[in-house]
Amino acid sequence: MKDWRYWLAEQRGTLLAFGIFVVMFVIYTSNHPAGFTANVVQTASNKGVLLAFVAMAQTLVVITAGIDLSVGMIFTLTNCLASWLVVGTGIETAFGVLAVLGTGLLCGAINGAIVIYGRLQPIVATIATGAVYFGIALLLRPFPGGSVNEGLADALTGRLFGFVPASLVTLLAVVLVVWVPFSRSVLGRAAYAAGSSEMAAYMSGVPIRRGKFAAYALAGLLAAIGGLFLTFFTYTGDAAYASGNAYTLFSIAAVVLGGVSLFGGKGSAIGAIFGALAFRTIGDLLFVFDFDPLWQPLFQGVILLIAVSLGAFALFRVRNRLEWFL
Amino acid sequence: MSETTVSGLAGRMPKFLRRADPAVLTAFACIVLLLFLGSLYSRSFLSPEYLLQQLKVASFLGVIATGMMLVILLGQIDLSVPWSVAAGAMMACAAAAYGTVGVALAIPFGIFCGVLIGIVNGIGVAYLRIPSMIITLATNAVAQGLMVVYTGGFSPQDSATGAMRYLATGFAVPGVPNAVLIWALIGAAMVFVLTRTGFGRTVYGIGNRERAAYLSGIDTRRVVMIAFAVSGGLSAFGGVLLAGYASKAAQSMGDAYLLPSIAAVVLGGTSILGGRGSYLGTVAGVILITLLQSILSVMQMPEAGRQIIYGVVIVAMLLLYGRAPASR
């Protein structure tokens, strides 16, 4: 096989997600009353980027064959925290942003420590820590409210040079600063190896514990970046249980659409980003076609159900029936 | 602690204690501890009325946790509990609006809707081999979508039927609430199925190693599907009882039951990886969770504090005895 065919096989999920996104976005903008304008793109990217950050967070954990059901709650918690801290003068704001990101990192690290060093199952552990994070969010914001440094918020949710959405640029920057170095580092490879076959990785002396821990911690950081953006987007903090849960759910949908294997070891955060953007665009298609917004939850649920069922096609390739049972 | 002291200590204990699961014993010990702490706070914690009231509240969670336990014994998980509960309650109340036939069929119809959700889960997990965590989240979202479309985004106006109210709040036997009786019946049936039938042994077998169960000639996929259908049905039945208790259904009534039902099963010593666990442990877990909730609310702890304590207690107890073996 040639090199480019290896590359194609590795990136198939990402490319498929990119394709779905482009098709959906073309349908979306061509039917949008305002058409393909800078405003439409800006609004779409602001909404999409929120989910993209949470989906990236979920990807990191899913790659290690785990799952983080607390990402939505970290997202909510950091949103509430940002509505207190990211205010005031430039320096105060900068410290606020750092504190919010640090909190996210800490939440992720706690998840990682419990799952890896405490040896608990990720599902139960992260549901429980999610309850704790939501409780703290509720302490911070019993009622929706608060404020944010509006100059910074408008700059990051606005447009650069009149047409490039600033949120997309931030997303790109985060990919370059967090995802690219991580996935190329020893820790990143260890996270992939742990997801692919933990036993084999352990036997080969790969630092699986540190790799997995880094993945969980960085997932918290990425969810915090998402929470920060939600604050920039809404100017308020809101400890909403339903919205936190929805983001957790949608992040899994985005990860699956983005070609990341839920059994671990396969996929990339880039794919998950396109998965998130595609999922958001599909959800918004309903508005373009003038459906009742009441149908949106059902529509998104059905997309999710179809997306997760697509993986079942792999069953047709199974020769030995024992491979049904992992 | 070395092995010899444990066995030496165990040798002196009565037989029933030696045979019991340490996790179940810990759970029961925690119940006693909670009751003790509660009685320090207020003397009414040990009154029969209060304890019976707690048992009644626990029975709703007990019914739901019974289904959850069956699924967890298989090594799977059912995250569609919230909207299975809500769908069961809403559909039962909705059926009640269709005359006398509707009233008569309200409870079976509610359970039927839950079973349908469970069957979709089961097909996904058993035949399409989708991880249970994912497919049940997806069916939960679909069930939520269907209910939102049906109710128009508001809590439905239909109210519970007399039969539903009777099941949840009535007294068929003087002194014993019907809800407790129902939980006892369902629990007894579950114990019978798990310990005395081939189906129950198969559930444990699949939880230990599905491949081995399949090679032993068991149609494991059918068993998994039935287990999910039962779990969906029991969740919906829990919802029907809750609707009877509150005399109507509400949008997010099931949200408060997902974490507690999983926690109750796991705290009761059932392995989240499947294949190990007893129903007695689940009973202990359910009572433990209900008492914890009750004490926190009696102490007028705000919702935020309750969520935090709740999560911390679950993680702490799991760290005590729910850990996976080290990879060595």
Side-chain angles (χ1 to χ4, degrees), chain A residues 256 263 306-317, chain B residues 128-130:
Chain A
V256 173
F263 297 106
I306 293 172
V308 299
S309 305
L310 286 181
F313 281 110
L315 286 181
F316 291 121
R317 289 204 298 271
Chain B
L128 302 180
R129 310 308 301 178
I130 303 167

Side-chain angles (χ1 to χ4, degrees), chain B residues 280-326:
Chain B
L280 188 63
T282 302
V283 172
V286 167
I287 295 175
L288 179 58
I289 295 275
T290 309
L291 272 182
L292 184 67
Q293 279 176 337
S294 161
I295 288 179
L296 290 179
S297 66
V298 166
M299 290 166 80
Q300 299 187 338
M301 178 72 70
E303 174 67 15
R306 264 190 265 176
Q307 290 273 349
I308 296 173
I309 291 179
Y310 212 48
V312 169
V313 166
I314 290 167
V315 169
M317 292 202 54
L318 285 180
L319 285 176
L320 271 181
Y321 57 76
R323 302 177 74 190

